[in-house]
């Protein structure tokens, strides 16, 4: 599958539209830390996000400790951000919205 790296203007617009996501200093990835009520909520989020990742064939870098999930999205094949990162970030936002007060 061919991934098209986002242009600088599109990157800025994308990050502005993703609440709480941070663009890395090198502009190659976006990240967000989610805090849930407990481990079960965090794991439920990760499960739903994993299903979306499989659907998009685009997988996150993430780290979980108890109720916190830290996520980093980038497209290694494109050496930067693509629309796949945006789609997965939006799917993660939906999954998190059902679990965060």
């Amino acid at each position: 599958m061919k991934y098209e790296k986002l242009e600088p203007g599109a990157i800025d617009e994308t990050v502005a539209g993703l609440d709480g996501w941070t663009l890395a200093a090198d502009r190659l990835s976006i990240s967000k830390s989610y805090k849930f009520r407990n481990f079960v909520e965090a794991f439920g989020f990760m499960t739903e996000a994993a299903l979306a990742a499989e659907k998009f064939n685009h997988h996150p870098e993430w780290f979980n400790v108890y109720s916190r999930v830290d996520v980093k999205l980038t497209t290694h094949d494109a050496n930067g951000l693509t629309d796949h990162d945006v789609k997965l970030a939006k799917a993660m936002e939906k999954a998190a919205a059902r679990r965060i007060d």
Side-chain angles (χ1 to χ4, degrees):
M1 172 176 277
K2 178 134 172 71
Y3 297 98
E4 294 294 326
K5 192 172 175 178
L6 294 176
E7 296 296 325
I11 291 172
D12 294 334
E13 186 177 317
T14 294
V15 174
L18 294 172
D19 187 39
W21 288 84
T22 304
L23 180 63
D26 62 9
R27 302 179 58 83
L28 299 178
S29 64
I30 54 175
S31 61
K32 183 169 183 173
S33 185
Y34 291 96
K35 178 77 171 120
F36 299 95
R37 287 183 293 264
N38 53 47
F39 177 74
V40 171
E41 294 294 330
F43 197 84
F45 163 78
M46 292 178 72
T47 301
E48 189 172 339
L51 293 172
E54 277 297 299
K55 177 182 172 186
F56 301 141
N57 192 31
H58 190 68
H59 304 90
E61 295 177 27
W62 54 13
F63 178 78
N64 164 245
V65 173
Y66 186 61
S67 61
R68 190 183 85 234
V69 180
D70 299 326
V71 179
K72 178 180 173 183
L73 300 178
T74 189
T75 303
H76 296 286
D77 291 344
N79 193 32
L81 292 168
T82 68
D83 66 330
H84 284 70
D85 300 300
V86 177
K87 287 178 189 175
L88 188 52
K90 288 179 179 179
M92 288 179 158
E93 288 299 298
K94 276 187 171 181
R98 290 191 273 278
R99 295 171 173 85
I100 296 177
D101 295 332

